[in-house]
Amino acid sequence: MSNILAEDTLVWHLACSEADIPENGGACALIKGEQIAIYNFKRRGEWFATQNLCPHRQQMALSRGMIGSTGEEQEPKVACPFHKKTFSLKTGACLSGDDYQIQTYPVKVENGMVYVGL
Amino acid sequence: MKKKIVVVGNGMVGYKFCEKLIAKDAAQEFDLVVFGEEIRPAYDRVHLSAYFAGKTVEDLTMAPASWYAENGITLHLSDPIVDIDRDAKTVRSHHGLVEAYDYLVLATGSAAFVPPIPGVEKDGVFVYRTIEDLDMMQNHAKKAKKGAVIGGGLLGLEAAKALLDLGLEETHVIEFAPRLMPRQVDDAGSKMLQTKLEELGLKIHLNKNTQEIRGNGAISSMLFADGVELEVDMLVISAGIKPRDEVARIAGLEVGVRGGVIVNDYLQTSDPNIYAIGECALAHHMIYGLVAPGYEMADVVVNQLVKDKDKSFKPFDMSTKLKLIGVDVASFGDAFIQEPNCQTIVYENSAKGIYKRINISNDGKYLLGGILIGDAEQYNMLLQNVKNQTVLPPDPEDLMLGARGGKEESGAGVMALPDDASICSCEAISKGQICGEVLAGNNTLDAIKKCTKAGTGCGGCVPMVKDLINETMKSQGVYIRNIICEHFEYTRQELFDLVKIKGYKTYEEALDGLGHGDGCETCKPAVASILASLWNEMILVKGNDTVQDSNDRYLANIQKNGTYSVVPRIPGGEITPDKLIVIGQVALKYGLYTKITGGQRIDLFGAHVSDLPAIWEELVNAGFESGHAYGKALRTVKSCVGSTWCRFGLHDSVSFAIEIEERYRGLRAPHKFKSAVSGCTRECAEAQSKDFGIIATEKGWNLYVCGNGGVKPQHALLLASDIDSETCIKYIDRFLMFYIKTAEPLTRTATWLNKLDGGIDYLKAVVIDDVLGLNKQFEDEMNMLVEAYRCEWKEVVTNPELRKRFTHFVNAPHIKDPNVKFEPMRDQIKAAEWVK
C-alpha cells in the first residue's frame, strides 16, 4: 500500500551509504525498528526496497537473495535464499505462484547516501 | 427473494454438493441448510481405515464446521430429518425443527447391510461405516485376539486391513461367493489376489455361508453351513450396503424393490422439487456405491439449480483402481465379458503375483475392458483406450504388458488417443487442450500445470502429461535443448565452452556478451559455477558475490532460522586432538550446536552471519581450511582406517584419501560431489555410494564412478581395476573434467551418467582409451585448477572489504538479527521451528 501513499505522509529515513549495498545485490538496514531490504540494481540503474521478511517461512532473508528480472516486461524480482520464492521488486507480488504479497518502499539516493521512505 | 435448499445428510456427497454450490457463487441466490445425523461434519469415509493407521478425525474431515459458517451454510448435526411434508414443502428433524424448502436434496447415503444371521446382536460384532464404529472396534480390539470379516468385497477387505492395523493375531475374511471382490475381479484374478493377501497375513475362506454367530453374550465363534466352526472374538460385517431411503418412503417417494430412491437422468425423484444423490439414489436401476459418481451427481444437481448448463447424469464408468493392503487392484470397462463374445488375453506371473486380463472385440479392433492385479501401471492407458474406442495396435498385449526389451515406446501410446480423451479427470482436461498448450509454448510440466491445472489434483496423470509434452515436441521435430533460462539461450555445455573461449571472468561480462536482460536466480549461480570451474578464482570478488547461490554467497550453509553452519575441512576424517579441542572451544565461545556429519567431519550450527568471519579467523589460525560444505564442489573423501591399524587393510586408505581430498578441495562442479577410499573389499568407507570411490585390491586400487546416496541411491560402476595411485588420480582428473564440462546444472554424476549416450562403456572409452583425444587437455586443466586453489575463508578473514559484507544490518553491524530464535535440546540448541 505504501507505494500509493501521499507524498506528505512519507518520511525519508537515512539508511546507509551507497557503497554499503553491493552492486546488483541487497543488504538489510534497521530503520525505525523495522528490517528493510535495500537493493542496488546497478544493471538497471534502479534502487528498490522491500520488507526483509520472506512470508513463506517467515525468515528475515530477502536482502540476501539474488535479484534479477523475468518476462517480456523485465519485471525486477528478488528470490528468497531459502526456497527461491520470487517477489516483484516493483509491486511486492509473489511471482512464483503463491498467494503472498510483500511490502515495497520508495528509495532515493542523494550525495552517495541511501534514503528509504516509510 | 432467495430460495432455500435443504440438504438431508452430511456425508461426502452431501458435503460435495455444498462445496460445488458455493463454488458457483450461489450465496446470493440460495439459502443453504444442512441436516446431518452424525455428530461431526462430513469426513472421508473412503479412507476410513487410515484412522487406525494414525490419521485423526481432523485429517479425515472434509471441511470443519467453521467452513460451513463462513460460507453462510446453516449446519445442524446430530439431527436427522425424520419427516417430509411435500404439500407444505417442509421437513421436520428429530429434534423437532421444521424447515421450509424450495428444493430438497436427499444425500442420506447408505448403511451397512447386515444379513439376518442369528447372533448378530452379540457383543464384539460390528459394522464398518462411521468413526463411532471405528472407536468401538478399537476399544474391543484391545482384548480380542482373533477377528473375522464377513464380506470379501472392496469394503470387506478394507475392514480386514483395519483389523490388521488394530494388531489382531489372526484376521479371517469370510466370503459367500467363490471369489474375492466378485464385482471387480474374475476367478483367476481372485486367486492371485488371495495369494498376495495371504502372504500379508490374512486367512481367506471362500464359498462360506455363515449360519450362526455363537457365544454367551459376546461372540466366541462362527458356525458355517458346511459344519465348520471358527473361533473368533471379534467380527466385522461388511457384506454390502443398503440405501438409506426411510424418509423418502415415509414421504411417499418412489423407491426401488431392493431399496434406493428412484431418480431420473436429472436426479429428480418422483417429486420434481426433491433430488436424491449419492448412495441413497437409484439411478439407471442401480446404486452407485463409489464416491466419484456421487460427486458427479452432486455436480449435476448444482448445475440445474444455478441453471448453469443442461447436464444430466449419464451411466457412470465404474472402473476402479486401488491399493488394497499394498496390492494394486484395477478393474475397467467390461471386465467380465467372455469368449465367444470377445477375445481375451491373459498374462499370469505367480512368482511376482501379477495377473492381467484384457478383453478385445472379436474383430481385434477395440479394447472392451479388463482386470489388473499386482501391477496396475497401465491402468490409465487401458482405461483411455476403452473410453475412447481407440483402434488397437497389431499386438494389443503390449498395452497391458508395456513394451518389452527396450526403453523406447513408453510414451508413444498417448499420441494415439483422440484429442477429446480426458487426461486429467480431477480438472477435466483433455489431451487436445494439453497438446494445444504445448504447441503454444507451454512445453514444461510446470507451465502446463499453471495454464491448465492438469496434474494439480491427485497427480495420477502427471506421467501421461509428461509423455504428451515430449511426444508433442518430438512430433514437431523439436530437438529438446535444455537451455539455461530466459536470459541465456545456450545449454550449459555450450555456455561453458563460450565463456572459456571469450575468457570472461565475471557474470556481468558473460551476460553482456552471451545473454540478455538482467539475469535471474537460475542463470546467476549456473554461470558462477562455470566461472569457478574454469578459472578457480575467489568467488566473492569482481562483483561475482551477488550471483552466487544462497550458501556460496556467505561461504556457509543457511539454516532454518537464518543462521549458518560452519564446516572446516577434515581431510579423510583424520584430526589431531589439538584441532578437536579448537573446534570445541570455538563452538563454546560462539554458542554453536555441534554434530558429526555423514562425511567424517564436524558441523557447527547456529552461527550469526556477523560472527562468521571471527569464527573462521580462529579456525584458520588453528590450521583449518574451508570445507566447502556450502558449495557445489568436492565435499569429503571419507576413509576407513586402512592398513596402518586394521588387520585386514591392504593399503593405507587414509593417506590416499587425504591426498585425493587435498587435490580436489575447492573444485567447483555442476553439483556437489563426494568420494571415499576403502582399504579392503569390506568397504567400510562405503566408496561404492560416492561420485567416485576407490577400493584397495591386492594389486592396487579399483576405481568406481557415478554412485549416489541421496534421493535415488545408485551403486557406483567399476571404471578401472588394479590400477596404481598415479593412474588412479589421472583417471579421476579426466573423469571429473569431462563431467564438469558436459553435465547440466545441478546434475550429480549418477544422473549425468544415466543420461550419457553409451553409458559406462562410453565413459571408459573417453577416460581410459581417449576416444575424444581430450585427455591431455583434461589433465592440464585439472592441474591448473589444483594450482589455483586458495582457501576462500582465509581470504575473507584477511580482507577487510570482504569481511564487511558479513553483517545482518548494514547500518548497525554490531546488532544481530533479533528474529533469530533458538530452543534448548539435549544440552545444546536447535533452531526455533518455522511456520509451516
Side-chain angles (χ1 to χ4, degrees), chain A residues 15-16 19-20 22-26 28-30 35 41 43-44 52 56-60 64 66-71 74 77 79 81-84 86, chain B residues 486-487 508 511-512 517-521 524-525 546-550 553-554 558-562 564 609 805 808-811 815 817-819 834-836:
Chain A
C16 56
D20 284 336
E23 292 181 358
N24 296 307
C28 175
L30 187 61
Q35 299 201 18
F41 213 142
R43 193 171 175 83
R44 299 164 64 109
N52 194 29
H56 173 224
R57 291 284 188 252
Q58 308 276 314
Q59 299 290 306
M60 287 294 183
R64 299 179 204 167
M66 277 177 270
I67 60 174
S69 69
T70 182
Q74 305 231 357
K77 61 171 181 172
F82 276 95
H83 305 95
K84 303 277 157 70
T86 56
Chain B
E486 60 181 293
H487 305 106
E508 287 287 299
L511 184 60
D512 287 337
D518 306 313
C520 68
E521 70 280 2
K524 284 185 171 183
T546 53
V547 303
Q548 303 297 333
D549 215 338
S550 314
R553 166 115 188 243
Y554 291 96
I558 194 163
Q559 305 293 342
K560 248 181 179 175
N561 57 3
Y564 288 85
V609 65
R805 296 291 187 208
H808 187 72
F809 294 117
V810 72
N811 60 343
I815 299 180
D817 180 2
N819 281 51
W834 59 15
V835 290
K836 286 208 176 114

Coordinates of all heavy atoms in Angstrom, one line a residue, chain A residues 15-16 19-20 22-26 28-30 35 41 43-44 52 56-60 64 66-71 74 77 79 81-84 86, chain B residues 486-487 508 511-512 517-521 524-525 546-550 553-554 558-562 564 609 805 808-811 815 817-819 834-836:
Chain A
A15 N 19.3 5.5 5.4 CA 19.5 4.0 5.6 C 21.0 3.7 5.8 O 21.5 3.2 6.8 CB 18.9 3.2 4.5
C16 N 21.8 4.1 4.8 CA 23.2 3.8 4.7 C 23.8 4.5 3.6 O 23.2 5.3 2.9 CB 23.3 2.3 4.5 SG 22.5 1.7 3.0
A19 N 27.7 2.8 -1.0 CA 28.7 1.7 -1.1 C 28.4 0.5 -0.1 O 28.9 -0.6 -0.3 CB 30.1 2.2 -0.7
D20 N 27.4 0.8 0.8 CA 27.1 -0.3 1.8 C 26.3 -1.4 1.1 O 26.2 -2.5 1.6 CB 26.3 0.2 2.9 CG 27.2 1.0 3.9 OD1 28.4 0.7 4.0 OD2 26.6 1.9 4.6
P22 N 25.8 -4.0 -1.9 CA 26.6 -4.5 -3.0 C 25.9 -4.3 -4.4 O 24.6 -4.3 -4.4 CB 26.7 -6.0 -2.7 CG 25.6 -6.3 -1.7 CD 25.3 -5.0 -1.0
E23 N 26.6 -4.1 -5.4 CA 26.1 -3.9 -6.7 C 25.3 -5.1 -7.2 O 25.8 -6.2 -7.0 CB 27.2 -3.5 -7.7 CG 27.8 -2.2 -7.4 CD 28.9 -1.8 -8.4 OE1 29.2 -2.6 -9.3 OE2 29.5 -0.7 -8.3
N24 N 24.2 -4.9 -7.7 CA 23.3 -6.0 -8.2 C 23.0 -7.0 -7.1 O 22.8 -8.2 -7.4 CB 23.9 -6.6 -9.4 CG 24.0 -5.7 -10.6 OD1 23.0 -5.1 -11.0 ND2 25.2 -5.5 -11.1
G25 N 22.9 -6.4 -5.9 CA 22.5 -7.3 -4.8 C 21.8 -6.5 -3.7 O 21.4 -5.3 -4.0
G26 N 21.6 -7.1 -2.6 CA 20.9 -6.3 -1.5 C 21.6 -6.4 -0.2 O 22.6 -7.1 0.0
C28 N 20.5 -5.5 4.3 CA 19.4 -5.2 5.2 C 19.7 -4.0 6.1 O 20.8 -3.9 6.6 CB 19.0 -6.4 6.1 SG 17.8 -6.0 7.3
A29 N 18.8 -3.0 6.2 CA 19.0 -1.9 7.1 C 17.9 -1.9 8.2 O 16.8 -2.4 8.0 CB 19.0 -0.6 6.4
L30 N 18.3 -1.5 9.4 CA 17.4 -1.4 10.5 C 16.9 0.0 10.6 O 17.6 1.0 10.8 CB 18.1 -1.8 11.8 CG 17.3 -1.9 13.1 CD1 16.2 -3.0 12.9 CD2 18.2 -2.2 14.3
Q35 N 13.1 -4.2 9.7 CA 14.1 -4.7 8.9 C 13.7 -4.4 7.4 O 12.8 -5.0 6.9 CB 14.3 -6.2 9.1 CG 14.7 -6.5 10.5 CD 15.4 -7.9 10.6 OE1 15.9 -8.4 9.7 NE2 15.5 -8.4 11.9
F41 N 20.1 -2.2 -7.8 CA 20.0 -2.9 -9.1 C 20.9 -2.1 -10.1 O 20.3 -1.4 -11.0 CB 18.6 -3.0 -9.6 CG 18.3 -4.2 -10.3 CD1 17.1 -4.9 -10.2 CD2 19.2 -4.8 -11.2 CE1 16.8 -6.1 -10.9 CE2 19.0 -5.9 -11.9 CZ 17.8 -6.6 -11.8
R43 N 22.6 -2.8 -12.7 CA 22.5 -3.1 -14.1 C 21.3 -2.2 -14.7 O 21.4 -1.9 -15.9 CB 22.2 -4.6 -14.3 CG 22.3 -5.0 -15.7 CD 22.2 -6.5 -15.9 NE 22.2 -6.7 -17.3 CZ 23.3 -6.8 -18.0 NH1 24.5 -6.7 -17.5 NH2 23.2 -7.0 -19.3
R44 N 20.3 -2.0 -14.0 CA 19.2 -1.2 -14.5 C 19.3 0.3 -14.0 O 18.4 1.1 -14.4 CB 17.9 -1.7 -14.0 CG 17.6 -3.2 -14.4 CD 16.5 -3.8 -13.6 NE 15.2 -3.2 -13.7 CZ 14.2 -3.8 -14.4 NH1 14.3 -5.0 -14.9 NH2 13.0 -3.1 -14.5
N52 N 12.2 -7.2 4.8 CA 13.2 -8.2 4.7 C 12.7 -9.6 4.9 O 13.3 -10.6 4.6 CB 14.3 -7.9 5.8 CG 15.6 -8.7 5.6 OD1 15.9 -9.1 4.4 ND2 16.3 -9.0 6.7
H56 N 7.0 -16.7 3.3 CA 6.8 -18.2 3.1 C 7.1 -18.9 4.4 O 6.2 -19.5 5.0 CB 7.7 -18.7 2.0 CG 7.7 -20.1 1.8 ND1 8.9 -20.8 1.6 CD2 6.8 -21.1 1.8 CE1 8.6 -22.1 1.5 NE2 7.4 -22.3 1.6
R57 N 8.3 -18.8 4.9 CA 8.6 -19.4 6.2 C 9.0 -18.4 7.3 O 9.6 -18.7 8.3 CB 9.8 -20.4 6.1 CG 9.5 -21.6 5.2 CD 8.6 -22.6 6.1 NE 8.5 -23.9 5.4 CZ 7.3 -24.3 4.8 NH1 6.3 -23.5 4.9 NH2 7.3 -25.4 4.2
Q58 N 8.6 -17.1 7.0 CA 8.8 -16.0 8.0 C 10.2 -15.9 8.4 O 10.5 -15.8 9.5 CB 7.9 -16.3 9.2 CG 6.4 -16.6 9.0 CD 5.6 -15.3 8.8 OE1 5.7 -14.4 9.6 NE2 4.8 -15.2 7.8
Q59 N 11.1 -15.8 7.4 CA 12.5 -15.7 7.6 C 13.0 -14.3 7.2 O 12.6 -13.8 6.1 CB 13.3 -16.8 6.9 CG 12.9 -18.2 7.3 CD 13.3 -18.6 8.8 OE1 14.5 -18.4 9.1 NE2 12.4 -19.0 9.6
M60 N 13.9 -13.7 8.0 CA 14.5 -12.4 7.6 C 15.6 -12.6 6.6 O 16.7 -12.8 7.0 CB 15.0 -11.7 8.9 CG 13.8 -11.2 9.8 SD 12.9 -9.9 8.9 CE 11.8 -9.4 10.2
R64 N 19.3 -11.1 1.4 CA 20.4 -12.0 1.0 C 20.1 -12.7 -0.3 O 20.9 -13.6 -0.7 CB 20.7 -13.0 2.1 CG 21.1 -12.3 3.4 CD 21.4 -13.4 4.5 NE 21.2 -12.8 5.8 CZ 21.2 -13.5 6.9 NH1 21.2 -14.9 6.9 NH2 21.0 -13.0 8.1
M66 N 19.1 -13.4 -4.4 CA 19.6 -13.0 -5.7 C 18.5 -12.1 -6.4 O 17.3 -12.4 -6.3 CB 19.9 -14.2 -6.6 CG 21.2 -14.8 -6.4 SD 21.5 -16.2 -7.4 CE 20.8 -17.5 -6.3
I67 N 18.9 -11.1 -7.1 CA 17.9 -10.3 -7.8 C 18.1 -10.5 -9.3 O 19.1 -11.1 -9.8 CB 18.0 -8.8 -7.5 CG1 19.4 -8.2 -7.9 CG2 17.7 -8.5 -6.0 CD1 19.5 -6.7 -7.7
G68 N 17.1 -10.2 -10.1 CA 17.1 -10.4 -11.5 C 15.8 -9.9 -12.1 O 15.1 -9.1 -11.5
S69 N 15.5 -10.3 -13.3 CA 14.2 -9.9 -13.9 C 13.6 -11.0 -14.6 O 14.3 -12.0 -14.9 CB 14.4 -8.7 -14.8 OG 15.1 -9.1 -15.9
T70 N 12.3 -10.9 -14.9 CA 11.6 -12.0 -15.6 C 10.6 -11.5 -16.6 O 10.1 -10.4 -16.4 CB 10.9 -12.9 -14.6 OG1 10.3 -14.0 -15.3 CG2 9.9 -12.2 -13.8
G71 N 10.4 -12.2 -17.6 CA 9.3 -11.9 -18.6 C 9.7 -10.8 -19.6 O 10.7 -10.2 -19.5
Q74 N 10.4 -7.6 -18.3 CA 11.6 -7.5 -17.5 C 11.2 -7.0 -16.0 O 11.9 -6.1 -15.5 CB 12.6 -6.5 -18.1 CG 12.9 -7.0 -19.5 CD 14.4 -7.1 -19.8 OE1 15.2 -6.8 -18.9 NE2 14.7 -7.5 -20.9
K77 N 12.9 -8.6 -9.8 CA 12.5 -9.5 -8.8 C 13.6 -9.9 -7.8 O 14.8 -9.7 -8.2 CB 11.9 -10.8 -9.4 CG 12.9 -11.5 -10.2 CD 12.4 -12.9 -10.7 CE 13.4 -13.7 -11.5 NZ 13.0 -15.0 -11.8
A79 N 14.8 -13.3 -5.3 CA 14.5 -14.7 -4.9 C 15.0 -15.0 -3.5 O 16.1 -14.7 -3.2 CB 15.2 -15.7 -5.9
P81 N 16.6 -16.6 -0.5 CA 17.6 -17.7 -0.4 C 17.2 -19.0 0.1 O 17.8 -20.0 -0.1 CB 18.7 -17.1 0.4 CG 18.1 -16.0 1.2 CD 16.9 -15.5 0.4
F82 N 16.1 -19.1 0.8 CA 15.7 -20.3 1.4 C 15.0 -21.3 0.4 O 15.5 -22.4 0.2 CB 14.7 -20.1 2.6 CG 15.3 -19.8 3.9 CD1 15.6 -18.5 4.3 CD2 15.8 -20.8 4.7 CE1 16.2 -18.2 5.5 CE2 16.4 -20.5 5.9 CZ 16.6 -19.2 6.3
H83 N 14.0 -20.8 -0.2 CA 13.3 -21.8 -1.2 C 13.0 -21.2 -2.5 O 12.2 -21.6 -3.3 CB 12.0 -22.2 -0.5 CG 12.1 -22.9 0.8 ND1 12.0 -22.2 2.0 CD2 12.5 -24.1 1.2 CE1 12.2 -23.0 3.0 NE2 12.5 -24.2 2.6
K84 N 13.7 -20.0 -2.8 CA 13.6 -19.4 -4.1 C 12.2 -19.0 -4.5 O 11.8 -19.0 -5.6 CB 14.2 -20.3 -5.2 CG 15.7 -20.7 -5.0 CD 16.6 -19.6 -5.4 CE 18.0 -19.7 -4.7 NZ 18.8 -20.9 -5.1
T86 N 10.0 -16.1 -5.4 CA 10.4 -14.8 -6.0 C 9.3 -13.8 -5.9 O 8.1 -14.1 -5.9 CB 10.7 -15.0 -7.5 OG1 9.6 -15.6 -8.2 CG2 11.9 -15.9 -7.7
Chain B
E486 N 15.7 -18.0 -19.4 CA 15.2 -17.0 -20.4 C 16.3 -16.0 -20.8 O 16.2 -15.3 -21.8 CB 14.0 -16.2 -20.0 CG 14.2 -15.5 -18.6 CD 13.0 -14.8 -18.1 OE1 12.5 -13.8 -18.8 OE2 12.4 -15.2 -17.1
H487 N 17.4 -15.9 -20.0 CA 18.4 -14.9 -20.2 C 19.6 -15.5 -21.0 O 20.4 -14.7 -21.6 CB 18.9 -14.4 -18.9 CG 17.8 -13.8 -18.1 ND1 17.4 -14.4 -16.9 CD2 17.1 -12.7 -18.2 CE1 16.4 -13.7 -16.4 NE2 16.2 -12.7 -17.2
E508 N 28.7 -10.4 -15.2 CA 28.3 -9.3 -16.0 C 28.8 -9.4 -17.4 O 28.1 -9.2 -18.4 CB 28.7 -8.0 -15.3 CG 27.9 -7.6 -14.1 CD 26.5 -7.2 -14.4 OE1 26.4 -6.1 -15.1 OE2 25.5 -7.8 -14.0
L511 N 26.9 -12.1 -19.2 CA 25.5 -11.6 -19.6 C 25.6 -10.6 -20.7 O 24.8 -10.7 -21.6 CB 24.9 -11.0 -18.3 CG 23.4 -10.6 -18.5 CD1 22.5 -11.8 -18.8 CD2 22.9 -9.9 -17.2
D512 N 26.5 -9.7 -20.7 CA 26.6 -8.7 -21.8 C 27.0 -9.4 -23.1 O 26.4 -9.1 -24.1 CB 27.7 -7.7 -21.5 CG 27.2 -6.7 -20.4 OD1 26.0 -6.6 -20.2 OD2 28.1 -6.1 -19.7
G517 N 18.9 -9.2 -20.9 CA 18.1 -8.9 -19.7 C 19.0 -8.7 -18.5 O 20.2 -8.4 -18.6
D518 N 18.4 -9.0 -17.4 CA 19.1 -8.7 -16.1 C 19.6 -10.0 -15.4 O 20.1 -9.9 -14.3 CB 18.2 -7.9 -15.1 CG 17.6 -6.7 -15.8 OD1 18.4 -6.0 -16.4 OD2 16.4 -6.5 -15.7
G519 N 19.3 -11.2 -15.9 CA 19.7 -12.4 -15.2 C 18.6 -12.8 -14.2 O 17.6 -12.1 -14.0
C520 N 18.8 -13.9 -13.5 CA 17.9 -14.4 -12.5 C 18.6 -15.4 -11.6 O 19.7 -15.7 -11.8 CB 16.7 -15.0 -13.2 SG 17.0 -16.6 -14.0
E521 N 17.8 -16.0 -10.7 CA 18.4 -16.9 -9.7 C 18.7 -18.2 -10.4 O 19.2 -19.1 -9.7 CB 17.4 -17.0 -8.5 CG 16.1 -17.8 -8.8 CD 15.0 -16.9 -9.5 OE1 15.3 -15.7 -9.8 OE2 13.9 -17.5 -9.7
K524 N 22.3 -17.0 -12.7 CA 23.4 -16.5 -12.0 C 24.3 -17.6 -11.3 O 25.5 -17.6 -11.6 CB 22.9 -15.5 -10.9 CG 22.5 -14.2 -11.5 CD 22.0 -13.1 -10.5 CE 21.9 -11.8 -11.3 NZ 21.5 -10.7 -10.3
P525 N 23.7 -18.5 -10.5 CA 24.6 -19.5 -10.0 C 25.2 -20.4 -11.0 O 26.3 -21.0 -10.8 CB 23.7 -20.2 -9.0 CG 22.3 -19.8 -9.2 CD 22.3 -18.5 -10.0
T546 N 27.3 -11.4 -5.6 CA 25.8 -11.4 -5.6 C 25.2 -12.3 -6.7 O 24.0 -12.4 -6.8 CB 25.3 -9.9 -5.9 OG1 25.9 -9.4 -7.1 CG2 25.6 -9.0 -4.7
V547 N 26.0 -13.0 -7.4 CA 25.5 -14.0 -8.3 C 25.6 -15.4 -7.8 O 25.2 -16.4 -8.4 CB 26.1 -14.0 -9.8 CG1 25.9 -12.6 -10.3 CG2 27.5 -14.4 -9.8
Q548 N 26.3 -15.5 -6.6 CA 26.5 -16.9 -6.0 C 25.1 -17.3 -5.4 O 24.3 -16.5 -4.9 CB 27.5 -16.8 -4.9 CG 28.9 -16.3 -5.4 CD 29.5 -17.2 -6.4 OE1 29.3 -18.4 -6.5 NE2 30.4 -16.6 -7.3
D549 N 25.0 -18.6 -5.3 CA 23.8 -19.2 -4.7 C 23.8 -18.9 -3.2 O 24.9 -18.6 -2.7 CB 23.7 -20.7 -5.0 CG 22.3 -21.1 -5.2 OD1 21.3 -20.4 -4.7 OD2 22.0 -22.2 -5.8
S550 N 22.6 -19.1 -2.6 CA 22.5 -18.7 -1.2 C 23.7 -19.0 -0.3 O 24.1 -18.2 0.5 CB 21.2 -19.4 -0.6 OG 20.2 -19.4 -1.4
R553 N 27.2 -17.5 -1.3 CA 27.4 -16.0 -1.1 C 28.0 -15.7 0.3 O 28.7 -14.7 0.4 CB 26.0 -15.4 -1.2 CG 25.9 -14.0 -0.7 CD 25.6 -13.0 -1.7 NE 25.7 -11.6 -1.2 CZ 24.7 -10.7 -1.2 NH1 23.5 -11.1 -1.6 NH2 24.9 -9.5 -0.7
Y554 N 27.6 -16.5 1.3 CA 28.2 -16.3 2.6 C 29.2 -17.4 3.1 O 29.5 -17.5 4.2 CB 27.1 -16.1 3.7 CG 26.3 -14.8 3.4 CD1 25.2 -14.8 2.7 CD2 26.9 -13.6 3.9 CE1 24.5 -13.6 2.4 CE2 26.2 -12.4 3.6 CZ 25.1 -12.4 2.9 OH 24.4 -11.2 2.6
I558 N 23.1 -21.8 5.0 CA 22.0 -21.1 5.7 C 21.1 -22.2 6.3 O 20.8 -23.2 5.7 CB 21.2 -20.2 4.7 CG1 20.3 -19.2 5.5 CG2 20.4 -20.9 3.7 CD1 19.8 -18.0 4.7
Q559 N 20.7 -22.0 7.5 CA 19.8 -22.9 8.2 C 18.5 -22.3 8.6 O 18.2 -21.2 8.3 CB 20.5 -23.4 9.5 CG 21.9 -24.0 9.3 CD 21.9 -25.3 8.5 OE1 20.9 -26.0 8.4 NE2 23.0 -25.7 7.9
K560 N 17.7 -23.1 9.2 CA 16.2 -22.8 9.4 C 15.9 -21.4 10.0 O 14.9 -20.9 9.6 CB 15.6 -23.9 10.3 CG 14.6 -24.7 9.6 CD 14.0 -25.7 10.6 CE 13.0 -26.6 9.9 NZ 12.5 -27.6 10.8
N561 N 16.7 -20.9 10.9 CA 16.3 -19.6 11.4 C 17.2 -18.4 10.9 O 17.2 -17.4 11.4 CB 16.4 -19.6 13.0 CG 17.8 -20.0 13.4 OD1 18.7 -20.2 12.6 ND2 18.0 -20.1 14.7
G562 N 17.9 -18.7 9.7 CA 18.7 -17.6 9.1 C 20.1 -17.6 9.6 O 20.9 -16.7 9.2
Y564 N 23.8 -19.7 10.2 CA 24.6 -20.5 9.3 C 25.3 -21.6 10.0 O 25.5 -21.6 11.2 CB 25.6 -19.6 8.5 CG 24.9 -18.7 7.5 CD1 24.4 -17.5 7.9 CD2 24.8 -19.1 6.2 CE1 23.8 -16.7 7.0 CE2 24.2 -18.3 5.3 CZ 23.7 -17.1 5.7 OH 23.0 -16.3 4.8
V609 N 25.4 -14.5 11.0 CA 26.2 -14.1 9.8 C 27.3 -13.2 10.2 O 28.4 -13.3 9.7 CB 25.3 -13.5 8.7 CG1 24.7 -12.2 9.2 CG2 26.0 -13.3 7.4
R805 N 31.0 -7.4 4.4 CA 29.7 -7.9 3.8 C 29.0 -8.9 4.8 O 27.9 -9.2 4.6 CB 30.0 -8.6 2.5 CG 30.5 -7.6 1.4 CD 29.4 -6.7 1.0 NE 29.9 -5.9 -0.2 CZ 29.4 -4.7 -0.5 NH1 28.6 -4.1 0.3 NH2 29.9 -4.0 -1.5
H808 N 24.4 -8.5 9.4 CA 22.9 -8.6 9.2 C 22.4 -7.2 8.8 O 21.7 -7.0 7.9 CB 22.2 -9.2 10.4 CG 20.7 -9.5 10.0 ND1 20.3 -10.4 9.2 CD2 19.6 -8.8 10.4 CE1 19.0 -10.4 9.0 NE2 18.5 -9.4 9.8
F809 N 22.7 -6.2 9.7 CA 22.2 -4.8 9.4 C 23.4 -4.0 8.9 O 24.4 -3.8 9.6 CB 21.7 -4.2 10.7 CG 20.4 -4.9 11.2 CD1 20.4 -5.5 12.4 CD2 19.3 -4.9 10.4 CE1 19.3 -6.1 12.9 CE2 18.1 -5.5 10.9 CZ 18.1 -6.1 12.1
V810 N 23.3 -3.5 7.7 CA 24.4 -2.8 7.1 C 24.6 -1.5 7.8 O 25.7 -1.0 7.8 CB 24.1 -2.7 5.6 CG1 23.0 -1.6 5.4 CG2 25.3 -2.3 4.8
N811 N 23.5 -1.0 8.5 CA 23.7 0.3 9.2 C 23.9 0.1 10.7 O 23.9 1.1 11.4 CB 22.5 1.2 8.9 CG 21.2 0.6 9.4 OD1 21.1 -0.6 9.6 ND2 20.1 1.4 9.5
I815 N 24.7 -5.2 15.7 CA 23.4 -5.8 16.1 C 23.1 -7.0 15.4 O 23.2 -7.1 14.1 CB 22.3 -4.7 15.9 CG1 22.5 -3.5 16.7 CG2 20.9 -5.3 16.4 CD1 21.5 -2.4 16.6
D817 N 20.5 -10.2 14.2 CA 19.1 -10.3 13.9 C 18.3 -10.7 15.1 O 18.4 -11.8 15.6 CB 18.9 -11.3 12.7 CG 17.5 -11.4 12.3 OD1 16.6 -10.7 12.8 OD2 17.2 -12.3 11.4
P818 N 17.4 -9.8 15.6 CA 16.6 -10.1 16.8 C 15.6 -11.2 16.5 O 15.0 -11.8 17.4 CB 16.0 -8.8 17.1 CG 16.0 -8.0 15.9 CD 17.1 -8.4 15.1
N819 N 15.3 -11.5 15.2 CA 14.3 -12.5 14.9 C 14.9 -13.9 15.0 O 14.1 -14.9 15.0 CB 13.8 -12.3 13.5 CG 12.8 -11.2 13.5 OD1 13.0 -10.1 14.0 ND2 11.6 -11.5 12.9
W834 N 10.0 -23.2 12.3 CA 9.5 -22.1 11.5 C 8.0 -22.4 11.1 O 7.6 -23.5 11.3 CB 10.3 -21.8 10.2 CG 10.5 -22.9 9.3 CD1 9.9 -24.1 9.2 CD2 11.5 -22.9 8.2 NE1 10.4 -24.8 8.1 CE2 11.4 -24.1 7.5 CE3 12.5 -22.0 7.8 CZ2 12.2 -24.4 6.5 CZ3 13.3 -22.3 6.7 CH2 13.2 -23.5 6.1
V835 N 7.3 -21.4 10.6 CA 5.9 -21.6 10.3 C 5.8 -22.5 9.1 O 6.6 -22.5 8.2 CB 5.2 -20.3 10.0 CG1 5.1 -19.4 11.2 CG2 6.0 -19.5 8.9
K836 N 4.8 -23.3 9.2 CA 4.6 -24.2 8.0 C 3.3 -23.9 7.3 O 2.4 -23.3 7.9 CB 4.5 -25.7 8.5 CG 6.0 -26.1 8.9 CD 6.1 -27.6 8.7 CE 7.6 -28.0 8.9 NZ 7.7 -28.9 10.1

